[in-house]
Amino acid sequence: MRNNRWFGWDGAGDSLWAQSVRPILDAREMGGSQAEAAALIRRDPELSCRFQKTFGAPPADDEGVFAGIGKALAAFQETIVSRRTSFDDFRDALEKGDRPAAARYPLAAQRGLRLFVGKGNCSACHFGPAFTNGEFHDTGVPFFIPGGVDPGRHGGLKKLQANVFNLIGARNDDRSGASTVKTRQVAIEHRNFGEFKVPSLRSVAQTAPYMHNGSLATLADVVRHYSELNPDRLHSDGESLLKPLRLSAEESADLVAFLESLTERTSALQPRRPSAACRR
Ligand code: HEC
């Protein structure tokens, strides 16, 4: 979560805390307001105590309290990290030259990995520790939604630039200005229309349904999407990283086996230790 450069499938958030307040305000999600959220902090003794310990006394303006809420939500989410996977064990075994350990990684997943970095060209966009380049691409997922289109990155950039909580804004705690660079540099281009964020593939076996619109139910469906891709459906200009792969049934199953190996074996979150800070 904390390793993202942009947040939301449209990238309208440039920090985890700015992203974290979006669902509170969005009419389709919680439909709340800054005033309501700030009032809740001010009138709840537990919440205002916690706020005060972290940020000092709640400021008089709702926007200031609301920014604090976002930062607190982000601090919690930053503690959520995915666990080691059988792929990680394989990778480390290869690095150490430990063949017996490497051999424990299923053969189907090994063949799938070869496709992922080879013929499939998946690693052109899905690379690094989280299997994402952190940017936006068009993969031919229809962007028509009931009553209109989802402009993806094109709309996300407009929202980002208009957002008082972006990193250029006054609520950014980084006084050095270093964290504002990426937000200052982005420019809205026509090709951003229909581009969506390259998602992390960590724990991907647990995050169905897939793609920003949830249109694909299983990992096998995602692999079929890339295998049977219609290049004419790629709406952005200049996207040449994808072409129909025409995978055999075995190749498809291998690629799915590889994707499944990016998921931790147990999914239970660590139980949270009770906080002593505000105990009454
Ligand atoms: C051009 C960049 C690019 C390439 C190449 C690419 N992907 Fe993706 N991938 C994306 C983007 C962008 C999305 C999100 C699309 C959306 O939300 O509509 C995505 C989504 C996915 C998802 C769904 C994840 C989720 O949580 O919804 C999986 C799985 C996936 N890709 C696997 C692959 C595999 C396997 C390959 C190779 C066959 C591949 N990708 C090649 C950019 C790419």
Side-chain angles (χ1 to χ4, degrees), residues 108 111-112 115 119 223 227 245-257:
R111 290 191 301 264
L115 285 166
K119 172 178 163 185
V223 168
S227 187
L245 299 172
R246 309 264 176 254
L247 300 173
S248 70
E250 203 207 349
E251 287 174 318
S252 301
D254 289 345
L255 204 43
V256 170

Side-chain angles (χ1 to χ4, degrees), residues 99-163:
R99 279 165 176 262
R104 283 198 284 275
Y105 189 55
L107 280 174
Q110 294 190 32
R111 290 191 301 264
L113 168 59
R114 232 171 255 131
L115 285 166
F116 191 84
V117 298
K119 172 178 163 185
N121 200 27
C122 314
S123 55
C125 301
H126 296 281
F127 63 79
F131 299 90
T132 168
N133 61 6
E135 287 298 333
F136 299 79
H137 290 277
D138 175 15
T139 56
V141 174
F143 58 84
F144 291 102
I145 51 173
V149 293
D150 182 338
R153 183 60 167 151
H154 200 270
L157 279 169
K158 286 188 188 159
K159 286 188 196 157
L160 171 72
Q161 290 175 342
N163 188 354

Side-chain angles (χ1 to χ4, degrees), residues 3-15 19 22 122 124-127 131-141 150-161 182-183 185-200 211-212 226 234-242:
N3 297 327
N4 283 294
R5 185 181 301 145
W6 307 109
F7 296 83
W9 71 64
D10 59 358
D14 58 359
S15 70
Q19 174 65 23
R22 278 177 84 185
C122 314
C125 301
H126 296 281
F127 63 79
F131 299 90
T132 168
N133 61 6
E135 287 298 333
F136 299 79
H137 290 277
D138 175 15
T139 56
V141 174
D150 182 338
R153 183 60 167 151
H154 200 270
L157 279 169
K158 286 188 188 159
K159 286 188 196 157
L160 171 72
Q161 290 175 342
K182 65 185 167 92
T183 308
Q185 280 176 348
V186 283
I188 306 177
E189 292 173 37
H190 181 68
R191 69 173 174 85
N192 298 133
F193 216 88
E195 286 185 340
F196 295 95
K197 195 172 90 172
V198 180
S200 164
M211 312 320 237
H212 73 277
Y226 285 113
L234 297 178
H235 20 81
S236 297
D237 312 328
E239 192 74 272
S240 56
L241 295 167
L242 288 166

Side-chain angles (χ1 to χ4, degrees), residues 10-261:
D10 59 358
D14 58 359
S15 70
L16 183 53
W17 67 266
Q19 174 65 23
S20 299
V21 292
R22 278 177 84 185
I24 302 177
L25 299 179
D26 194 318
R28 296 162 303 179
E29 297 189 58
M30 297 171 77
S33 68
Q34 292 190 11
E36 275 173 286
L40 186 67
I41 299 289
R42 290 196 186 98
R43 74 166 178 260
D44 183 303
E46 169 82 11
L47 290 177
S48 59
C49 161
R50 282 174 185 264
F51 192 100
Q52 175 136 13
K53 282 189 191 295
T54 312
F55 302 107
D61 64 313
D62 293 342
E63 194 183 285
V65 178
F66 200 61
I69 293 173
K71 289 170 190 175
L73 288 169
F76 165 64
Q77 292 167 89
E78 282 179 358
T79 67
I80 305 174
V81 281
S82 61
R83 295 178 174 198
R84 283 186 68 82
T85 66
S86 55
F87 169 79
D88 296 320
D89 294 342
F90 177 66
R91 184 219 159 268
D92 290 356
L94 284 187
E95 194 179 35
K96 288 188 209 125
D98 183 345
R99 279 165 176 262
R104 283 198 284 275
Y105 189 55
L107 280 174
Q110 294 190 32
R111 290 191 301 264
L113 168 59
R114 232 171 255 131
L115 285 166
F116 191 84
V117 298
K119 172 178 163 185
N121 200 27
C122 314
S123 55
C125 301
H126 296 281
F127 63 79
F131 299 90
T132 168
N133 61 6
E135 287 298 333
F136 299 79
H137 290 277
D138 175 15
T139 56
V141 174
F143 58 84
F144 291 102
I145 51 173
V149 293
D150 182 338
R153 183 60 167 151
H154 200 270
L157 279 169
K158 286 188 188 159
K159 286 188 196 157
L160 171 72
Q161 290 175 342
N163 188 354
V164 291
F165 293 134
N166 72 25
L167 289 174
I168 303 172
R171 306 288 171 187
N172 184 354
D173 297 315
D174 167 28
R175 297 276 166 259
S176 78
S179 60
T180 66
V181 174
K182 65 185 167 92
T183 308
R184 287 185 195 283
Q185 280 176 348
V186 283
I188 306 177
E189 292 173 37
H190 181 68
R191 69 173 174 85
N192 298 133
F193 216 88
E195 286 185 340
F196 295 95
K197 195 172 90 172
V198 180
S200 164
L201 298 182
R202 290 234 165 231
S203 308
V204 74
Q206 291 168 339
T207 61
Y210 300 106
M211 312 320 237
H212 73 277
N213 57 2
S215 57
L216 301 177
T218 65
L219 287 174
D221 292 336
V222 176
V223 168
R224 192 174 313 115
H225 168 80
Y226 285 113
S227 187
E228 297 174 1
L229 188 96
N230 178 353
D232 298 338
R233 289 259 298 275
L234 297 178
H235 20 81
S236 297
D237 312 328
E239 192 74 272
S240 56
L241 295 167
L242 288 166
K243 54 179 188 321
L245 299 172
R246 309 264 176 254
L247 300 173
S248 70
E250 203 207 349
E251 287 174 318
S252 301
D254 289 345
L255 204 43
V256 170
F258 165 69
L259 292 170
E260 283 173 345
S261 79

